[in-house]
Amino acid sequence: MTEVERHSYDVVVIGAGGAGLRAVIEARQRGLSVAVVCKSLFGKAHTVMAEGGCAASMGNANSNDNWQVHFRDTMRGGKFLNNWRMAELHAREAPDRVWELESYGALFDRTKDGRISQRNFGGHTYPRLAHVGDRTGLELIRTMQQKIVSLQQEDYKQYGDYEARVKVFAECTITELLKDGGRIAGAFGYWRESGRFVLFETPAVVVATGGIGKSFKVTSNSWEYTGDGHALALRAGASLINMEFVQFHPTGMVWPPSVKGILVTEGVRGDGGVLKNSQGERFMFRYIPDVFKGQYADSEDEADRWYDDADNNRRTPDLLPRDEVARAINAEVKEGRGSPHGGVFLDIASRLPTEEIKRRLPSMYHQFKELADVDITKEPMEVGPTCHYVMGGIEVDPDTASSSVPGLFAAGECSGGMHGSNRLGGNSLSDLLVFGRRAGLGAASYVESLAERPVVADADITAAAKLAVAPFDPPADGVDAENPYTLHTELQQSMNDLVGIIRKADEIAKALDKLGEIRKRIRGVTVEGHRQYNPGWHLALDLRNMLVVSECVAQAALRRTESRGGHTRDDHPQMDSQWRNTLLVCTSPGGDPLAPDVAVDAKPQDPMRQDLLELFELSELEKYYTEDELADHPERTA
Amino acid sequence: MTAVAENPVHDTSQIPAPEGSLTITVKIQRFNPELDDEPHWESYDVPALPTDRVLNLLMNIKNYVDGTLSFRRSCAHGICGSDAMQINGINRLACKVLVKDLLAKKGKQTTITVAPIKGLPTMKDLYVDMEPFFEAYRAVKPYLIAYGNEPTRERTQSAADRERFDDTTKCILCACCTSSCPVYWADGSYFGPAAIVNAHRFIFDSRDEGAEERLDILNDAEGVWRCRTTFNCTDACPRGIQVTKAIQEVKRALLFKRI
């Protein structure tokens, strides 16, 4: 029998970013015992890197804003592929979640009358992002970390034990979800420091593990983003949707090489920064796509007036949704009008006074000063696209965040549907709060409804342990030993080059061949040393997740023969209404648990509820929908 | 704990050497509790660009030379606060220190020494036990304390009130300050600067009603009065927080019973 430390909880949350912590708070408030398991130290989650803000139609900066406008912006940003129910819940509930966070103690920048200030961002009709300078994600995590400390101190008063109801398992990785007759029964993993195994017996798991960016070479994501939750859920029998949609943030640092990919907040453009090519031209005016014609300024004068008078002018195309801006930058560079290091220029220096730049964008000022030796108050930044966010993820029920596997819930970046084919900036932090809370509630209700607890089988624990230590065994006869880092580098390179921002069928096919090769070689991955804090071993395990997730991305990308949002096919450059309502669903029919098989199937999405559909003008819907889909529209039948 | 000098030769030829790189020596304090009684130094001659950060060098050593080299890192640009370590004897985040700022004078070989932060138990290599640090953080009640009914929208706060405690909200809990404090080295029961910074963040928040409770905690024998105003903490803070000033403000609040 494998030696394993055992714990029992009502709910286990995997991931301590924004979504995970919000789920913990909710499940704890419902009276359940909760464990939160995270790969890093508590409070260091990827959410800290969100800079610009949290979108919520509080209407503090422009009283015309309301949830319907936010809903419309979100659907447009996602090119109408979004799960409309998730987009609706998100737009309706985001203001309450922000106010609630303020009541927990979060710091926000304020309006003159002391309310939460809101800033402009790409794709949002009104200034909508609640923010703290350019460190909003850090404040969001810190606030929820503080809230959890306060709940633990309440529990101490009541039970004499800080960890009676909420316990944090930091620097601990889950490698396997265990089931009992189709339902979740537990989660198996290891302590990163000691390498010792740990088993959580629990009827409900909330996966909140974030994204998959570490499958790409140039990314703004940190090392944790290896698609763990995506892979765990897939292997446990859940389905992933929209995996072909990967967001490349238009503005990452491009120079020096050591910092390539690090994010430059969209807040730079929200606060007046503009994109220019090597000829000094503000090129975005040439890239307003048909679906957004009429909604954006078509001259520099109008765009500049908009910052001060948004009611009578249209916004600058520098603030088009991220997919549009990233493609435009890519095209400028390709046509030879890029900056010296292969990006374009982002100019705030000539647009705002020095002190104002330092006040509004302090982190950006320091980031460029310290890492690139560039003073952004005096010279333009060089920026280019960087892999930033995956729209695809675990398919969930919008109201309860439940996956198709009983007891398995998902929230935040690792869930799919909410953002459709492209996420608007600022909609991630609000997504975390809205659906983190709903996942906590969904898991709590599920646990309360159970007549009996599922049981983890000993054989499953043994099998999970065996799979985890496989990299310490010498490879089987005829299999070459492989360094996990080498395989990781090759995987990142081919995803970056072949399934990146612009895709073609033959290149994706090449990537799939490469992934097939890695799938064979991964069996030879061997690591030195012992289980005690051994980063090489950790990477060997994370690599399995990156491989299966990359296969999902590449297979779905090959299948979708159109361009939409975060999926651009050079060989199918148009958006195709026939595809609008089609979801590509990835499942795993089984196979070797080291590198499970992936199947992709198409299925239609439920049509949008009539009252929501009527929030849009027919003329706008006609740009996205097929004739047949609109045949029953009231304006048509009237 | 003195590290015993020891210099096994490491094959670093697998590390890619980009154009314009020079070879520098990275001397790392290594410790594996399974094998070693004491920490020891190991040196690695690695290619480096002046624009590389120390974190890049450590990643290269881990990826190409020794997969067991242990250190924390996450966001890699100074926001998460995971990779605090002593670089040439000074507490820094490895992701924010550029090689060009550490280069030796012309003609001399550059050596960069890297050791774990002090005052916290070393678990392995550069990896320390952060629990005592977080215990002190939790002890100062680092959360908003407010009585009365929960508001349905936001509480209002004037720009001036918000500005009052802006500096201490920038803390990323990296432990650079606390582990540079000689008082903390000598006596781990002192709360340390980071905990006081996080208390300050709430004591001076106009929305908070728990200042008195927190000031009582900080008035304790292990509280603010242990501070000897050496300014190590302020020098070490990668966020530029005026840590010593914040501690002084808390002392003053205690002396004059007003914030």
Side-chain angles (χ1 to χ4, degrees):
Chain A
M1 182 68 222
T2 314
E3 197 183 312
V4 50
E5 177 186 323
R6 283 173 183 257
H7 299 277
S8 183
Y9 284 92
D10 294 327
V11 177
V12 170
V13 177
I14 308 175
L21 296 189
R22 192 61 191 81
V24 169
I25 292 168
E26 204 61 26
R28 151 67 177 71
Q29 303 288 51
R30 283 280 291 261
L32 301 187
S33 68
V34 192
V36 53
V37 189
C38 52
K39 293 210 286 189
S40 288
L41 283 173
F42 192 50
K44 310 287 185 198
H46 199 280
T47 308
V48 301
M49 289 159 72
E51 292 161 349
C54 177
S57 59
M58 297 181 290
N60 289 356
N62 188 321
S63 57
N64 291 326
D65 204 7
N66 55 45
W67 76 262
Q68 289 93 338
V69 185
H70 192 181
F71 171 77
R72 282 199 296 261
D73 287 343
T74 301
M75 293 300 294
R76 283 174 191 140
K79 302 266 163 47
F80 283 79
L81 184 93
N82 316 51
N83 179 305
W84 50 265
R85 174 64 177 161
M86 290 177 91
E88 178 197 8
L89 290 170
H90 168 259
R92 280 179 185 269
E93 294 177 5
D96 281 338
R97 297 288 79 75
V98 173
W99 287 321
E100 176 180 75
L101 201 69
E102 200 279 339
S103 81
Y104 293 173
L107 174 79
F108 287 103
D109 289 349
R110 299 285 173 157
T111 60
K112 285 203 181 79
D113 58 358
R115 291 178 301 153
I116 295 171
S117 162
Q118 300 188 265
R119 74 158 40 122
N120 279 309
F121 237 55
H124 293 281
T125 301
Y126 299 115
R128 188 176 283 148
L129 270 67
H131 58 98
V132 193
D134 48 12
R135 58 175 197 278
T136 314
L138 178 65
E139 183 61 19
L140 188 143
I141 282 290
R142 198 63 78 235
T143 301
M144 287 201 278
Q145 183 179 5
Q146 289 156 357
K147 180 71 180 174
I148 285 171
V149 170
S150 80
L151 293 173
Q152 287 179 323
Q153 297 193 355
E154 271 177 30
D155 290 344
Y156 180 76
K157 278 186 200 142
Q158 198 174 345
Y159 306 101
D161 176 6
Y162 289 108
E163 293 171 335
R165 307 264 290 282
V166 176
K167 186 170 162 82
V168 181
F169 293 79
E171 303 193 306
C172 184
T173 302
I174 298 298
T175 59
E176 201 87 41
L177 299 178
L178 307 174
K179 296 201 293 184
D180 175 5
R183 300 181 300 168
I184 289 294
F188 177 92
Y190 64 93
W191 287 104
R192 298 178 74 82
E193 179 201 320
S194 63
R196 286 201 319 271
F197 291 130
V198 52
L199 173 72
F200 296 93
E201 293 168 294
T202 181
V205 167
V206 176
V207 177
T209 51
I212 66 161
K214 277 294 162 188
S215 296
F216 292 81
K217 188 176 172 203
V218 179
T219 176
S220 64
N221 291 174
S222 61
W223 71 271
E224 295 95 334
Y225 265 32
T226 51
D228 298 3
H230 288 81
L232 286 170
L234 189 76
R235 288 172 51 206
S239 46
L240 308 183
I241 55 170
N242 296 347
M243 290 304 289
E244 64 275 36
F245 299 109
V246 177
Q247 180 169 83
F248 290 81
H249 194 291
T251 60
M253 293 176 80
V254 296
W255 186 260
S258 63
V259 295
K260 189 165 181 164
I262 290 181
L263 188 65
V264 179
T265 178
E266 191 167 326
V268 175
R269 283 170 285 139
D271 287 350
V274 293
L275 293 162
K276 291 178 180 171
N277 61 23
S278 59
Q279 294 160 3
E281 180 204 5
R282 283 171 64 178
F283 58 83
M284 281 309 300
F285 292 94
R286 287 190 278 110
Y287 290 92
I288 304 170
D290 287 343
V291 289
F292 291 117
K293 284 257 157 70
Q295 297 173 32
Y296 285 80
D298 45 24
S299 74
E300 292 186 20
D301 287 345
E302 182 181 2
D304 287 348
R305 285 197 304 269
W306 168 81
Y307 289 102
D308 297 320
D309 180 9
D311 291 340
N312 296 307
N313 295 286
R314 291 168 299 175
R315 60 184 28 235
T316 173
D318 291 289
L319 286 172
L320 274 161
R322 289 174 175 172
D323 53 332
E324 310 290 354
V325 183
R327 271 192 298 272
I329 293 174
N330 200 69
E332 285 297 303
V333 174
K334 218 171 175 176
E335 285 162 28
R337 293 186 294 273
S339 66
H341 300 107
V344 294
F345 295 107
L346 173 58
D347 173 24
I348 185 99
S350 73
R351 312 267 307 164
L352 285 182
T354 299
E355 285 317 307
E356 193 65 3
I357 296 171
K358 286 189 189 169
R359 190 182 68 78
R360 291 200 205 186
L361 302 161
S363 311
M364 285 306 107
Y365 173 74
H366 288 291
Q367 182 173 314
F368 273 88
K369 193 83 193 123
E370 288 159 15
L371 301 179
D373 213 6
V374 166
D375 182 348
I376 68 167
T377 68
K378 295 198 169 61
E379 45 189 326
M381 298 159 247
E382 273 189 77
V383 296
T386 178
C387 177
H388 184 57
Y389 189 89
V390 60
M391 271 65 74
I394 301 159
E395 186 176 21
V396 290
D397 170 62
D399 290 73
T400 62
S402 173
S403 75
S404 58
V405 176
L408 182 60
F409 299 79
E413 187 172 351
C414 70
S415 67
M418 158 71 208
H419 305 287
S421 68
N422 173 54
R423 175 176 69 80
L424 293 185
N427 271 0
S428 184
L429 292 185
S430 41
D431 170 8
L432 306 178
L433 295 172
V434 168
F435 293 103
R437 172 180 164 275
R438 283 190 166 268
L441 277 177
S445 302
Y446 171 79
V447 173
E448 286 161 0
S449 75
L450 289 176
E452 59 188 70
R453 293 275 170 124
V455 179
V456 174
D458 286 343
D460 289 344
I461 302 170
T462 309
K466 190 162 173 250
L467 193 62
V469 296
F472 290 107
D473 299 332
D477 282 344
V479 180
D480 291 334
E482 296 280 355
N483 173 345
Y485 177 70
T486 310
L487 280 193
H488 183 207
T489 311
E490 290 180 25
L491 180 135
Q492 286 181 316
Q493 192 75 53
S494 62
M495 289 303 285
N496 214 78
D497 295 348
L498 306 171
V499 200
I501 181 164
I502 308 287
R503 301 162 172 173
K504 281 181 203 151
D506 57 333
E507 291 185 349
I508 304 171
K510 238 188 256 172
L512 281 165
D513 287 346
K514 181 71 187 178
L515 293 172
E517 178 203 315
I518 293 175
R519 166 187 280 273
K520 288 195 191 103
R521 289 166 62 194
I522 201 169
R523 293 188 178 82
V525 165
T526 31
V527 295
E528 297 166 51
H530 298 277
R531 268 157 57 192
Q532 192 175 46
Y533 200 94
N534 186 336
W537 177 44
H538 304 163
L539 177 61
L541 298 179
D542 292 346
L543 182 63
R544 298 169 181 174
N545 298 335
M546 289 187 268
L547 175 61
V548 69
V549 167
S550 298
E551 289 222 10
C552 292
V553 173
Q555 286 201 29
L558 186 60
R559 187 81 177 262
R560 183 175 286 271
T561 48
E562 65 153 353
S563 293
R564 180 183 298 273
H567 170 68
T568 304
R569 283 283 296 265
D570 213 21
D571 45 356
H572 298 275
Q574 299 305 317
M575 187 159 71
D576 178 354
S577 316
Q578 299 294 338
W579 270 106
R580 187 203 58 82
N581 207 33
T582 302
L583 296 178
L584 293 177
V585 185
C586 299
T587 50
S588 178
D592 184 347
L594 268 183
D597 298 333
V598 172
V600 181
D601 297 292
K603 79 167 186 191
Q605 190 157 217
D606 288 340
M608 197 190 296
R609 219 173 54 224
Q610 196 60 33
D611 59 309
L612 296 176
L613 198 68
E614 286 169 14
L615 293 174
F616 298 93
E617 305 267 340
L618 179 61
S619 60
E620 179 167 22
L621 294 175
E622 283 167 344
K623 296 173 180 176
Y624 299 95
Y625 280 64
T626 62
E627 282 300 307
D628 287 353
E629 285 174 318
L630 293 174
D632 297 332
H633 193 278
E635 280 184 53
R636 286 273 173 92
T637 50
Chain B
M1 207 157 31
T2 330
V4 182
E6 193 184 303
N7 263 325
V9 176
H10 293 284
D11 176 12
T12 55
S13 60
Q14 295 298 307
I15 303 178
E19 210 185 305
S21 61
L22 41 137
T23 303
I24 63 170
T25 305
V26 182
K27 199 172 144 193
I28 305 173
Q29 184 179 315
R30 302 289 311 259
F31 174 63
N32 180 348
E34 282 187 319
L35 305 172
D36 308 327
D37 295 328
E38 287 281 303
H40 61 276
W41 296 100
E42 292 191 26
S43 293
Y44 305 81
D45 292 335
V46 301
L49 290 168
T51 53
D52 278 341
R53 300 160 300 157
V54 172
L55 181 66
N56 299 111
L57 309 185
L58 295 175
M59 293 297 291
N60 278 342
I61 295 169
K62 178 172 85 75
N63 293 332
Y64 293 101
V65 184
D66 182 354
T68 69
L69 175 64
S70 303
F71 53 90
R72 290 192 179 97
R73 88 284 186 227
S74 182
C75 80
H77 61 294
I79 300 176
C80 75
S82 297
D83 60 351
M85 48 190 80
Q86 284 189 70
I87 297 170
N88 287 351
I90 304 170
N91 284 2
R92 290 284 181 262
L93 299 179
C95 59
K96 287 188 79 176
V97 180
L98 299 186
V99 168
K100 73 177 165 95
D101 296 326
L102 304 176
L103 291 178
K105 290 215 176 83
K106 241 192 160 97
K108 290 204 175 154
Q109 171 68 13
T110 299
T111 300
I112 300 174
T113 62
V114 184
I117 47 176
K118 276 162 76 169
L120 293 161
T122 301
M123 312 290 280
K124 187 170 185 258
D125 299 335
L126 306 170
Y127 181 97
V128 300
D129 181 6
M130 293 284 281
E131 187 47 31
F133 172 82
F134 285 114
E135 203 178 284
Y137 165 72
R138 292 192 296 264
V140 301
K141 305 196 172 188
Y143 45 83
L144 191 81
I145 298 175
Y147 302 100
N149 294 331
E150 287 266 300
T152 51
R153 291 178 63 122
E154 72 266 55
R155 298 178 181 84
T156 55
Q157 184 167 48
S158 73
D161 283 346
R162 180 228 174 278
E163 203 51 38
R164 178 67 190 86
F165 62 109
D166 183 73
D167 199 38
T168 45
T169 65
K170 292 177 193 156
C171 175
I172 55 174
L173 297 172
C174 65
C176 274
C177 60
T178 294
S179 65
S180 71
C181 173
V183 180
Y184 190 80
W185 298 337
D187 181 358
S189 57
Y190 169 45
F191 286 124
I196 302 172
V197 160
N198 280 279
H200 179 283
R201 180 249 175 272
F202 288 100
I203 291 169
F204 294 93
D205 185 337
S206 59
R207 302 167 297 172
D208 185 81
E209 298 171 62
E212 214 158 306
E213 294 172 48
R214 278 189 211 95
L215 286 170
D216 276 349
I217 295 168
L218 294 172
N219 201 15
D220 183 86
E222 312 305 341
V224 288
W225 305 112
R226 301 291 303 278
C227 168
R228 286 285 166 266
T229 333
T230 57
F231 282 92
N232 279 20
C233 50
T234 305
D235 291 342
C237 180
R239 304 281 287 176
I241 299 171
Q242 298 297 310
V243 182
T244 315
K245 184 176 166 218
I247 298 174
Q248 292 302 100
E249 287 177 350
V250 173
K251 286 181 182 171
R252 213 172 303 137
L254 275 167
L255 281 176
F256 302 109
K257 291 287 170 214
R258 101 171 153 236
I259 48 176

